[in-house]
Amino acid sequence: MVTADEIESLIQTNIGDIHKIQIEDVSGGCGSMFNVMIVSDKFKGLMRLKQHKLVHQALGDKMKELHALTLKLYTEEQYQKTVSESAEAADKSQ
Amino acid sequence: MSASKNIVQIKEEKELRSTLEETSQAAVLYFWASWAEQCKQVESVVDDLATKYSKTQFFKIEAEEFEEISDAYEINAVPTVIIAKKAKILARVEGANVAEVVSQVASNCGAANGVGGKQPSADTKPEFKQDLNTRLKGLIERAPVMVFIKGTAAQPRCGFSRKIVGMLNEQNIKYGFFDILTDEQVRQGLKEYSDWPTYPQLYIKGELVGGVDIVSEMIASGELTEMIPEGSLAK
């Protein structure tokens, strides 16, 4: 069983430069399935596969305790883009 | 799917006790509760294993209904799978640790069912590993687009596997699949071979593309269709 705090701590320590991070336990409190969103420029220039592997490595042994992990990874630029795109969409739908 | 005869939902304590006393073989005890969401996952795996290990007796026990049995086996959480031989507990798996459940049943019940049983120590010998790597490479290259999932393409056994199959179908991609629940060796070996810890895994022309998150993003950006070899796009 893993906690959201442990995950956040490992990512802050092992990746660093975290602009924004959101972690959600979607296993009903069992600490086995998480949705994780991270915004960091450490992901810049890395292929998606490499970005995900960075997170797996940051979690180290804890990875083995997890049953499932859903990752949404962004660089700061990419994140700003999605924020403004959804703001635009919200405006349009009014 | 009709239930196998070797798996029962016990209605009385003595059902369990008498069977365990009568048989000298290992039996699988699955403790569940209706309020524990994770039990559904483990239950479907237990059902599958019962079909595969037809000579082993499987028991489904509603933990709170049968408090004495739960106490006797020191059940602290659900789901819990116990492998027991007479009065001895051979293995205990707590939580939705599907991989461990499959592995423990294979280890403890395999021999009785003539399905391989415990992994031989030859596992770590270099020649064995080489054979495994060759096998994995062969599987990965079995089709230009190859996906390793839990369950089959027609009946995926996990939300993420279901999602990836759905996405590939939607994009009209022709692909081969491998059900990693049927082969523990491939399931663990491939994680090491590809340095990727989870399933599903998508490969295109022998190279790992990623899991469901990555595939989803690549479809949204149009990148995935660009990677698909011509012969694999259904017209």
Side-chain angles (χ1 to χ4, degrees), chain B residues 69-87:
Chain B
I69 301 183
S70 299
D71 276 344
Y73 286 97
E74 292 179 338
I75 302 299
N76 297 314
V78 280
T80 293
V81 173
I82 300 247
I83 302 183
K85 201 177 201 175
K86 294 258 186 215

Side-chain angles (χ1 to χ4, degrees), chain B residues 87-218:
Chain B
K88 191 165 177 223
I89 295 180
L90 300 177
R92 174 193 301 268
V93 185
E94 279 181 1
N97 194 340
V98 164
E100 191 62 19
V101 171
V102 172
S103 167
Q104 290 293 353
V105 173
S107 271
N108 292 292
C109 308
N113 286 272
V115 276
K118 255 200 158 82
Q119 295 282 21
S121 55
D123 261 13
T124 48
K125 285 212 186 113
E127 315 91 66
F128 185 88
K129 216 141 194 200
Q130 206 181 51
D131 285 336
L132 177 59
N133 285 346
T134 314
R135 187 175 168 222
L136 292 173
K137 187 163 185 284
L139 281 174
I140 291 169
E141 294 174 353
R142 201 158 81 175
V145 180
M146 191 66 193
V147 68
F148 290 79
I149 53 176
K150 292 184 179 180
T152 62
Q155 260 197 324
R157 288 212 167 279
C158 138
F160 299 130
S161 290
R162 185 172 302 115
K163 195 168 174 198
I164 211 175
V165 161
M167 292 193 289
L168 293 173
N169 291 340
E170 232 173 77
Q171 300 294 315
N172 281 322
I173 296 171
K174 289 196 276 189
Y175 58 91
F177 76 87
F178 184 88
D179 180 355
I180 51 118
L181 293 178
T182 62
D183 194 319
E184 197 55 27
Q185 210 181 68
V186 171
R187 183 178 182 164
Q188 300 310 328
L190 194 58
K191 284 189 204 175
E192 216 188 288
Y193 183 91
S194 300
D195 188 23
W196 192 261
T198 52
Y199 291 101
Q201 292 184 12
L202 179 72
Y203 293 80
I204 296 180
K205 288 191 274 187
E207 257 190 64
L208 176 67
V209 170
V212 68
D213 298 334
I214 293 181
V215 171
S216 175
E217 284 177 22
M218 288 177 75

